């Protein structure tokens, strides 16, 4: 059974691009680059039905990369309608191979695989390269393939080659079919975003009418139509997603919204007070504050396994949230800060709706017994778009630009068991670290920075006596997408300054180390 496309109503009035996903770990980056150029797009599985594609009425289609092999009989293929609609089609990596194989070309296993940085030579001009790449020159790209096209379908011509891909870019401009073996969506292809913009704006002729101002107006109307006169409750964590969702919903329905802020005692220093001050004081949004730190810490006592800690935090959060919901009474809707990556992962490819309270970053599920309908005003947006919407709504930079903070909070930054003493030490250490980052003017240049209290004590000499205290690890990474990250290259003088302050000011820490681990797609969290 092929899935149908359930497009978000707020996108109905916009020009839309359909991205068919063959399983690439960077498919979301295609959508991000397209959205950045002002064009609305959605990702759906390659197995989506022909009727659903017609109903979606895409102005252009992009076929993503993927881990499978077109040379295998069971290798996934694009629906035939993709090549029959008369709209421009761009195939990327596996998408190129599927396009060529389905249109009469040939794909074979390659003796010369290309994984990582590669160089393409531009052989001919084409609309995809216009204003970006020149004929006769060579450019750096990012490759990831073990198969390659060995014969093009009729009507195609080669416009770029690489050492391992004789058809690195091949096009049929009459039918407006374009294909690249390299990945233009990743930052490792420096001009990739401009190539994708050429596809959407020059080749497909799209205007780029996707803006946060337009989204805000449409989302407010959609919320009002969905909710009517009913009451809505929102789980507020103080993070960017739930905060933006709450302010947007409050703009739409006012005091029909009540926020529930469950303080689990695992927040950074001063964050609980900031949530109360901003939402009660500045926005005057009805807010229930439940200090449940004793409940959480009690259940976490003696637990060291990181996954078990997450489950305990999630279950406790649900219990407290449900208890406060009953006290409020009368709510028909639950507001969640679900983002588009959540929708892609939980709906498009697993076949079932997400029941995770996304505003609390995957710490618990929504019990079916609560019988609340969902309001998810951010479900069309990526993280950077949520931040843009936050600025559009007038939220302060201190909140919108805040580094990501996981729902389980400091619990996953204390490997091993959680104690009030460890939490106090880590809060102070984290405060010192972030204070120095801000003083150095580096906060906005870093995607995420945090301290970790390691389950290690070392002997140190401090003054005229020995100490036996914890080691604190520091981490800071840069990232453009939250999927890949590089450690931030602090100068030695900065790290020395942080370490000196931390050892002097944080009783319980006598040694500081800096983690320089970079990462491929996956989690940036410590545990």
């Amino acid at each position: 059974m092929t899935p149908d496309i359930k497009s978000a109503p707020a996108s109905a009035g916009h020009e839309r691009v359909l991205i068919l996903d063959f399983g690439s770990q960077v498919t979301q980056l295609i959508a991000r680059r397209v959205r950045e150029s002002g064009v609305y797009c959605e990702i759906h599985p390659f197995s989506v039905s022909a009727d659903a594609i017609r109903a979606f009425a895409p102005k252009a289609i992009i076929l993503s990369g993927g881990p499978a092999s077109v040379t295998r009989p069971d290798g996934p293929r694009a629906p035939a309608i993709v090549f029959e609609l008369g709209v421009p089609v761009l195939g990327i990596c596996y998408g190129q191979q599927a396009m060529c194989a389905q249109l009469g070309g040939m794909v074979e296993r390659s003796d010369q695989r290309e994984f990582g940085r590669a160089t393409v030579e531009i052989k001919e001009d084409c609309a995809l390269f216009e204003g970006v790449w020149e004929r006769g020159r060579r450019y750096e790209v990012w490759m990831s393939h073990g198969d390659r096209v060995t014969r093009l379908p009729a009507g195609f011509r080669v416009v770029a080659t690489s050492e391992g891909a004789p058809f690195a870019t091949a096009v049929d401009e009459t039918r407006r079919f374009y294909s690249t073996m390299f990945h233009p969506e990743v930052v490792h292809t420096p001009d990739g975003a401009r190539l994708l913009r050429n596809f959407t704006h020059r080749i497909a002729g799209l205007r780029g009418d996707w803006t946060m101002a337009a989204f805000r107006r449409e989302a407010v109307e959609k919320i009002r139509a969905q909710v009517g006169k009913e009451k809505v409750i929102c789980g507020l964590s103080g993070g960017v997603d739930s905060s933006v969702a709450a302010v947007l919903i409050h703009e739409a329905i006012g005091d029909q919204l009540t926020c529930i802020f469950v303080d689990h005692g695992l927040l950074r220093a001063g964050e609980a007070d900031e949530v109360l001050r901003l939402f009660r004081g500045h926005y005057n949004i009805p807010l229930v504050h439940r200090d449940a730190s004793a409940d959480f810490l009690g259940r976490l006592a003696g637990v060291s396994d990181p996954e078990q800690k997450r489950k305990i935090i999630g279950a406790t959060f649900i219990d407290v949230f449900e208890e406060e919901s009953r006290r409020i009474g009368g709510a028909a809707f639950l507001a969640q800060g679900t983002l588009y990556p959540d929708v892609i992962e939980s709906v498009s490819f697993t076949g079932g709706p997400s029941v995770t309270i996304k505003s609390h970053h995957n710490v618990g599920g929504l019990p079916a017994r609560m019988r609340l309908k969902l309001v998810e005003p951010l479900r069309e947006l990526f993280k950077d778009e949520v931040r843009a919407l936050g600025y559009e709504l007038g939220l302060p930079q201190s909140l919108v630009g805040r580094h990501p903070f996981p729902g389980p909070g400091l619990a996953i930054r204390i490997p091993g068991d959680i104690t009030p003493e460890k939490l106090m030490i880590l809060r102070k250490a984290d405060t010192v670290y972030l204070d120095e980052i801000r003083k150095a003017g580096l906060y906005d240049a870093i995607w995420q920075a945090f301290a970790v209290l390691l389950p290690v004590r070392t002997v140190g000499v401090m003054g005229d006596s020995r100490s036996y205290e914890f080691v604190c690890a520091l981490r800071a990474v840069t990232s453009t997408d939250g999927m890949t990250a590089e450690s931030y290259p602090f100068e030695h003088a900065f790290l020395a300054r942080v370490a000196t302050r931390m050892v002097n000011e944080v009783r319980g820490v006598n040694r500081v180390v800096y983690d320089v681990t970079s990462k491929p797609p996956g989690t940036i969290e410590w545990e």
Side-chain angles (χ1 to χ4, degrees):
M1 180 178 178
T2 55
D4 288 335
I5 295 175
K6 297 181 179 178
S7 185
S11 72
H14 296 279
E15 299 170 320
R16 298 188 292 183
V17 170
L18 174 62
I19 300 170
L20 294 182
D21 184 21
F22 287 94
S24 169
Q25 61 184 342
V26 292
T27 298
Q28 290 186 25
L29 296 186
I30 303 173
R32 290 173 63 89
R33 301 297 171 255
V34 172
R35 295 271 189 96
E36 286 166 4
S37 70
V39 174
Y40 183 79
C41 63
E42 291 184 14
I43 299 172
H44 291 277
F46 70 89
S47 55
V48 69
S49 70
D51 288 343
I53 293 176
R54 287 193 192 92
F56 186 81
K59 297 293 185 181
I61 297 173
I62 299 176
L63 309 178
S64 84
S69 175
V70 174
T71 63
R72 294 177 57 88
D74 58 351
R77 298 293 193 269
I81 190 176
V82 166
F83 308 110
E84 300 166 358
L85 283 178
V87 301
V89 181
L90 172 63
I92 297 174
C93 196
Y94 186 92
Q96 181 195 60
Q97 297 167 15
M99 175 188 289
C100 289
Q102 289 180 245
L103 295 177
M106 181 175 291
V107 178
E108 296 178 322
R109 301 296 289 176
S110 176
D111 294 331
Q112 188 169 356
R113 300 179 300 174
E114 288 181 304
F115 292 96
R117 299 188 189 279
T119 300
V120 295
E121 182 176 353
I122 310 306
K123 299 292 188 179
E124 301 287 345
D125 294 326
C126 81
L128 196 64
F129 300 155
E130 189 174 342
V132 183
W133 288 350
E134 298 179 7
R135 180 171 53 180
R137 299 189 62 182
R138 298 166 67 85
Y139 298 92
E140 185 178 89
V141 297
W142 188 263
M143 294 280 196
S144 182
H145 67 93
D147 297 347
R148 67 179 181 181
V149 177
T150 55
R151 187 184 72 229
L152 290 174
F156 278 76
R157 65 186 178 94
V158 178
V159 295
T161 64
S162 73
E163 188 174 348
F167 306 130
T169 304
V171 304
D172 178 343
E173 292 178 304
T174 300
R175 291 184 287 180
R176 294 189 295 175
F177 293 162
Y178 293 77
S179 67
T180 69
M181 184 57 73
F182 61 87
H183 288 268
E185 69 272 27
V186 300
V187 296
H188 307 85
T189 300
D191 297 311
R194 297 172 65 194
L195 297 179
L196 288 171
R197 183 181 177 89
N198 272 353
F199 175 72
T200 56
H201 288 66
R202 291 181 183 270
I203 295 168
L206 304 185
R207 301 185 306 273
D209 60 356
W210 177 250
T211 67
M212 279 304 105
F215 176 86
R216 176 183 179 180
R217 292 192 301 269
E218 295 161 4
V220 165
E221 294 173 3
K222 177 188 172 187
I223 293 166
R224 288 172 179 164
Q226 180 185 8
V227 172
K229 299 298 182 182
E230 300 283 1
K231 291 182 179 180
V232 180
I233 56 173
C234 174
L236 187 65
S237 69
V240 176
D241 303 341
S242 63
S243 297
V244 171
V247 172
L248 180 64
I249 294 169
H250 187 254
E251 180 175 292
I253 62 173
D255 289 352
Q256 290 171 243
L257 170 71
T258 299
C259 291
I260 300 175
F261 172 41
V262 178
D263 183 355
H264 52 24
L266 303 169
L267 296 171
R268 291 171 290 200
E271 285 193 334
D273 292 338
E274 185 179 356
V275 171
L276 298 177
R277 184 168 57 251
L278 180 63
F279 287 90
R280 279 183 179 167
H282 183 75
Y283 286 103
N284 197 29
I285 296 177
L287 174 65
V288 173
H289 174 216
R290 170 71 178 273
D291 183 355
S293 54
D295 295 332
F296 281 86
L297 293 180
R299 296 191 189 184
L300 287 169
V303 178
S304 298
D305 179 74
E307 191 58 32
Q308 189 65 21
K309 285 192 288 187
R310 287 175 182 271
K311 290 179 179 179
I312 290 172
I313 294 168
T316 308
F317 174 81
I318 292 169
D319 291 346
V320 175
F321 186 87
E322 188 176 9
E323 186 178 318
E324 293 300 328
S325 301
R326 286 199 300 268
R327 287 194 178 126
I328 294 170
F333 290 89
L334 171 72
Q336 293 188 173
T338 307
L339 303 190
Y340 192 48
D342 303 322
V343 176
I344 296 168
E345 293 166 6
S346 62
V347 178
S348 297
F349 310 116
T350 62
S354 172
V355 294
T356 303
I357 297 180
K358 300 297 182 182
S359 61
H360 211 65
H361 305 282
N362 298 327
V363 298
L366 173 65
R369 62 179 178 271
M370 291 182 70
R371 296 182 180 178
L372 295 174
K373 293 170 283 188
L374 297 181
V375 181
E376 300 174 305
L378 309 182
R379 64 181 286 115
E380 296 178 58
L381 304 183
F382 286 101
K383 188 75 171 187
D384 55 333
E385 293 174 318
V386 173
R387 294 187 191 279
L389 178 60
Y391 288 123
E392 174 71 26
L393 291 166
L395 280 159
Q397 198 280 335
S398 60
L399 175 63
V400 178
R402 180 182 293 169
H403 292 175
F405 189 62
L410 299 179
I412 63 167
R413 293 175 183 170
I414 302 177
D417 63 320
I418 309 296
T419 67
E421 177 199 14
K422 290 181 180 179
L423 285 168
M424 179 182 66
I425 293 170
L426 182 56
R427 279 197 187 93
K428 290 180 179 179
D430 198 63
T431 298
V432 168
Y433 184 32
L434 295 179
D435 181 55
E436 285 296 328
I437 287 175
R438 289 190 174 95
K439 285 180 177 177
L442 300 175
Y443 190 85
D444 292 335
I446 295 171
W447 189 80
Q448 187 182 46
F450 55 85
V452 177
L453 195 67
L454 298 180
V456 177
R457 291 177 186 260
T458 63
V459 174
V461 177
M462 303 179 68
D464 297 322
S465 62
R466 286 187 174 185
S467 66
Y468 185 58
E469 297 177 338
F470 287 102
V471 176
C472 185
L474 307 180
R475 191 167 204 198
V477 294
T478 58
S479 179
T480 58
D481 47 48
M483 297 176 64
T484 59
E486 297 287 341
S487 59
Y488 187 82
F490 286 124
E491 294 182 358
H492 177 76
F494 172 85
L495 293 173
R497 190 161 60 248
V498 172
T500 298
R501 274 196 63 187
M502 206 169 282
V503 170
N504 287 339
E505 298 176 26
V506 182
R507 189 173 295 276
V509 172
N510 69 358
R511 187 154 297 158
V512 179
V513 298
Y514 182 56
D515 172 27
V516 296
T517 306
S518 297
K519 76 172 199 75
T523 179
I524 295 180
E525 298 169 3
W526 189 268
E527 288 193 340

